[in-house]
Amino acid sequence: MTDHVPAELYARIQQFYARQMGLLDDGRPDEWADTFTEDAVFQEASRLNEPLRGREAIRESSRARKKRLDADKIDFRHWLGMLSVTPEDDGSLRARSYALAMRVPRGGELDVFASVVCHDHLVQVDGDWQVRRRDLHHDGSGRH
């Protein structure tokens, strides 16, 4: 096993994240949830006591988030960078990135809401990449 993936695959993973985060930021929670496997686990240690388990739990949480943002008239954006992608022996991938979550009340000023380290386990399902597990660690939490 090498510690990196070929450039073409790296570019595909960057495109996956651009699409995935775009779906979330564009208020399309159902399509965003479909980028996770049926049995996905979403752990945001500083915000959730228990991880979200399964695509449908992720979907419901995302729908509720969209409703809150719409009600509060807040635009939300994610910026991912410093992406590293490493292959696993079984063909899956491990991805690590930094993410900034930003919110802007309509007519207001930008607020960098959170800075996190994102650890994903990616698998191919019917030729597309999906997240099997996502672990988010907020800066300042002491976890990386």
Side-chain angles (χ1 to χ4, degrees), residues 30-50:
D30 291 314
E31 292 169 85
W32 180 75
D34 288 339
T35 66
F36 291 83
T37 62
E38 290 283 344
D39 62 348
V41 175
F42 189 111
Q43 175 71 60
E44 190 173 359
S46 66
R47 299 214 177 273
L48 302 172
N49 293 330
E50 291 294 321

Side-chain angles (χ1 to χ4, degrees), residues 75-93:
D75 293 328
F76 213 89
R77 298 288 178 258
H78 292 82
W79 187 266
L80 272 67
M82 303 299 290
L83 175 66
S84 68
V85 182
T86 55
E88 294 288 317
D89 290 335
D90 64 1
S92 66
L93 302 173

Side-chain angles (χ1 to χ4, degrees), residues 44 46-47 76-79 98-103 111-117 137-139:
E44 190 173 359
S46 66
R47 299 214 177 273
F76 213 89
R77 298 288 178 258
H78 292 82
W79 187 266
Y98 295 155
L100 292 178
M102 298 159 283
R103 59 185 172 192
D111 172 36
V112 177
F113 176 69
S115 174
V116 302
V117 179
H137 304 285
H138 288 246
D139 288 343

Side-chain angles (χ1 to χ4, degrees), residues 9 11 17 28 38 64 95 131:
L9 178 55
Y17 282 114
R28 296 161 65 184
E38 290 283 344
V131 178

Side-chain angles (χ1 to χ4, degrees), residues 16-68:
F16 166 80
Y17 282 114
R19 179 179 173 276
Q20 185 190 48
M21 292 296 96
L23 291 169
L24 185 62
D25 292 347
D26 290 345
R28 296 161 65 184
D30 291 314
E31 292 169 85
W32 180 75
D34 288 339
T35 66
F36 291 83
T37 62
E38 290 283 344
D39 62 348
V41 175
F42 189 111
Q43 175 71 60
E44 190 173 359
S46 66
R47 299 214 177 273
L48 302 172
N49 293 330
E50 291 294 321
L52 296 172
R53 297 188 183 280
R55 181 186 291 156
E56 293 311 311
I58 294 168
R59 185 183 317 278
E60 289 305 315
S61 176
S62 182
R63 285 176 179 166
R65 178 184 169 276
K66 180 185 180 330
K67 285 182 184 177
R68 286 190 308 273

